[in-house]
Amino acid sequence: MEDMWAKIGETAGKVYHLLEDGEKSLSNLTKILRREGCNTNLVIMAIGWLAREDKIVVIKDSGKWTIRLK
């Protein structure tokens, strides 16, 4: 389990750094991070991690999920 926590935390860091350049759609984030070897589930868990830490805002508008830093 520890290894999974480390992977989620590392992916959360990658998500955070991508969002420093501006808001991104969920599909865009997963596309970018899949190229780096992260699967979609890992990206979603990392987004949950950041949301729980109150670091991001997640918005659903017309069926599209958008994520940005607070």
Side-chain angles (χ1 to χ4, degrees), residues 14-15 18 29-38 43:
K14 291 177 181 181
V15 169
L18 286 170
L29 281 172
T30 56
K31 182 180 176 182
I32 293 167
L33 291 171
R34 268 188 277 159
R35 286 188 228 136
E36 295 185 24
C38 302
V43 174

Side-chain angles (χ1 to χ4, degrees), residues 5 21 32 37-38 41 45 54 64:
W5 283 117
D21 295 332
I32 293 167
C38 302
N41 290 331
M45 287 185 272
D54 202 30
K64 179 181 175 184

Side-chain angles (χ1 to χ4, degrees), residues 4-20 29 33 36 38-39 41-53 55-56 67 69:
M4 194 61 184
W5 283 117
K7 288 180 184 179
I8 296 168
E10 181 181 326
T11 306
K14 291 177 181 181
V15 169
Y16 190 91
H17 290 297
L18 286 170
L19 294 174
E20 287 179 322
L29 281 172
L33 291 171
E36 295 185 24
C38 302
N39 68 42
N41 290 331
L42 189 57
V43 174
I44 291 170
M45 287 185 272
I47 290 168
W49 176 307
L50 292 170
R52 179 73 173 112
E53 290 189 345
K55 303 284 186 190
I56 59 172
I67 299 103
L69 295 179

